[in-house]
């Protein structure tokens, strides 16, 4: 990474992997206590994501974006140590091994991952200053066993960093002879103060119970389909048709015709007539009958929901009670035991 880049310039800029895919936004920068050089950056990987640590020694800041020479999936699976606090040498060594980098010779642990030994490679979060000023500040502000270390400032964040918890100093051990002599006096004083002391403050427990919250959700049951298809069915119709036929009629010759016809010679003759008939002519045509539509309608039915709910109850165990009935069975909060009603004398009951 370029040494002339101010770490403050990295805050809020986009970080991309070696393929150019966006990883997230640079959230914080970690500096070396001894040299003040930026070595790690915390990249926010999403709105609800976490901060992933990326090495700045192998990254390049150009074009208003931080180019990290690793895949996006590898960066998102990097060790999560949280943000806003120191990186211990053991944690830094774990990051070096994760990214396949050579760990510096100055960073080593004493074998206990919970209490790493600081050897000058302890990373100070957010203290952006020149190298000499950072080294001088680290040397002058190195905490002792009884003095808590000052809280480091933040870079690009609004959330404060809680100071480390000071190491408590154990009280001096009293002399056994002096303690034995003072024991009767202390016991007498305690007995005298017990009568005037107020009773202990009440203690309480909050009882909870589960309740059902039922909401209706829409789910797909299936689909209703309307398809039109063609069927063939036989039909029969009775139709009246007209046909022509011949009928022989014999008509008597009148006296006036007899004289004319008797003078004619007998000869053969042929007469013909054309006969016709009606035949059915079938023609098909399409006629609309009706419209068929599918209408989605809703109806309401009742369903029974069965489930089990848990409820917290309280049980009192008093070791000082002489009557075993005083420690009754568990009762629900706010439920007072009810007394049984006394029997009422009637006319049929004995006096």
């Amino acid at each position: 990474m370029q040494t002339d880049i101010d770490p403050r310039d990295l805050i809020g800029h986009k970080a991309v992997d070696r393929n150019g895919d966006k990883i997230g936004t640079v959230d914080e920068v970690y500096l070396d206590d001894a040299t003040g050089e930026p070595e790690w950056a915390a990249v926010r990987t999403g709105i609800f994501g976490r901060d992933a640590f990326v090495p700045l020694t192998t990254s390049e800041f150009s074009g208003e974006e931080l180019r990290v020479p690793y895949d996006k999936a590898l960066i998102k699976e990097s060790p999560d140590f949280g943000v806003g606090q120191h990186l211990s040498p053991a944690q830094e060594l774990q990051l070096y091994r994760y990214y396949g980098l050579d760990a510096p010779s100055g960073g080593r642990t004493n074998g206990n991952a919970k209490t790493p030994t600081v050897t000058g490679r302890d990373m100070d979060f957010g203290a952006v200053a020149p190298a000499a000023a950072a080294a001088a500040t680290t040397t002058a502000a190195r905490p002792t066993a009884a003095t808590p270390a000052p809280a480091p400032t933040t870079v690009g964040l609004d959330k404060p960093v809680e100071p480390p918890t000071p190491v408590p100093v154990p009280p001096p051990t009293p002399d056994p002879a002096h303690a034995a002599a003072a024991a009767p006096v202390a016991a007498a004083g305690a007995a005298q103060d017990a009568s005037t002391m107020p009773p202990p403050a009440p203690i309480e427990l909050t009882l909870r119970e589960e309740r059902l919250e039922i909401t209706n959700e829409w789910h797909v049951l299936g689909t209703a389909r309307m398809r039109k298809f063609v069927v063939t069915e036989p039909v029969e119709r009775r139709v009246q048709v007209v046909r022509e036929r011949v009928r022989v009629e014999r008509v008597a010759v009148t006296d006036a015709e007899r004289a004319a016809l008797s003078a004619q010679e007998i000869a053969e003759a042929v007469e013909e007539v054309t006969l016709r008939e009606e035949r059915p002519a079938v023609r098909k045509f399409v006629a609309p009958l009706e419209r068929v539509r599918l209408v989605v309608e809703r109806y309401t039915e009742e369903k029974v929901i069965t489930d089990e709910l848990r409820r917290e109850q309280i049980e009192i165990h008093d070791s000082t009670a002489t009557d075993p009935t005083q420690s009754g069975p568990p009762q629900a909060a706010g439920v007072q035991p009810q007394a049984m009603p006394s029997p009422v004398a009637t006319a049929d009951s004995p006096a």
Side-chain angles (χ1 to χ4, degrees):
M1 178 180 171
Q2 306 99 305
T3 58
D4 57 344
I5 297 297
D6 190 347
R8 291 189 181 92
D9 296 338
L10 295 176
I11 301 300
H13 283 81
K14 180 175 65 174
V16 298
D17 65 353
R18 63 181 181 182
N19 299 322
D21 296 334
K22 181 179 178 182
I23 306 170
T25 305
V26 178
D27 200 7
E28 299 168 351
V29 176
Y30 287 72
L31 307 181
D32 193 328
D33 276 354
T35 63
E37 294 294 333
E39 294 202 11
W40 299 96
V43 179
R44 176 68 61 177
T45 58
I47 299 178
F48 302 103
R50 65 177 184 88
D51 284 3
F53 288 90
V54 296
L56 295 179
T57 55
T58 57
S59 303
E60 180 183 3
F61 182 66
S62 63
E64 301 299 325
E65 64 183 13
L66 179 65
R67 297 183 177 273
V68 184
Y70 302 99
D71 289 334
K72 181 178 180 180
L74 178 68
I75 297 173
K76 284 191 173 183
E77 297 298 330
S78 62
D80 186 7
F81 300 127
V83 293
Q85 56 188 356
H86 287 268
L87 274 179
S88 66
Q91 294 173 341
E92 186 184 11
L93 182 60
Q94 185 176 353
L95 289 174
Y96 275 116
R97 292 176 178 174
Y98 180 78
Y99 286 106
L101 301 175
D102 295 333
S105 58
R108 60 184 183 273
T109 61
N110 59 0
N112 190 349
K114 295 183 179 179
T115 55
T117 303
V118 181
T119 58
R121 296 294 299 174
D122 193 4
M123 304 304 295
D124 187 10
F125 163 71
V128 180
T137 303
T138 304
T139 304
R142 182 65 62 184
T144 61
T147 304
T153 58
T154 61
V155 176
L157 288 180
D158 295 333
K159 55 185 179 183
V161 179
E162 297 183 359
T165 305
V167 179
V169 179
T173 304
D175 185 19
H178 182 269
V185 179
Q192 182 179 0
D193 295 340
S195 59
T196 59
M197 290 177 57
I203 59 176
E204 64 179 18
L205 290 175
T206 301
L207 301 183
R208 301 169 300 170
E209 67 177 3
E210 293 180 337
R211 297 183 179 181
L212 285 180
E213 180 182 358
I214 302 176
T215 59
N216 294 333
E217 298 178 352
W218 286 101
H219 292 271
V220 176
L221 295 178
T223 57
R225 181 180 304 172
M226 184 167 57
R227 183 176 67 91
K228 183 174 68 174
F229 59 95
V230 178
V231 297
T232 302
E233 60 181 3
V235 295
E236 183 179 321
R237 301 288 187 272
R238 296 184 178 274
V239 182
Q240 301 291 334
V241 295
V242 178
R243 299 183 62 184
E244 294 179 343
R245 63 185 177 182
V246 295
R247 180 168 48 88
V248 179
E249 293 183 354
R250 297 183 181 275
V251 181
V253 179
T254 63
D255 294 338
E257 293 175 340
R258 182 176 292 108
L261 293 176
S262 298
Q264 297 179 357
E265 295 291 335
I266 297 176
E268 293 182 357
V270 176
E271 297 289 341
E272 66 178 13
V273 65
T274 302
L275 302 178
R276 299 174 301 172
E277 69 174 356
E278 289 181 343
R279 293 182 180 178
V282 179
R283 184 177 62 89
K284 297 180 181 180
F285 62 94
V286 178
L289 297 179
E290 61 179 352
R291 290 189 182 139
V292 180
R293 64 166 60 108
L294 287 181
V295 180
V296 178
E297 60 180 12
R298 295 178 179 177
Y299 64 96
T300 303
E301 65 179 2
E302 184 177 298
K303 286 192 174 182
V304 178
I305 306 300
T306 304
D307 205 340
E308 293 183 354
L309 299 179
R310 299 179 300 170
R311 175 182 297 176
E312 297 176 342
Q313 294 187 352
I314 193 168
E315 182 179 4
I316 308 300
H317 295 277
D318 189 358
S319 60
T320 62
T322 57
D323 187 1
T325 60
Q326 292 183 2
S327 298
Q331 298 179 1
V335 178
Q336 300 294 334
Q338 300 180 356
M340 296 299 294
S342 302
V344 180
T346 60
D348 297 335
S349 61

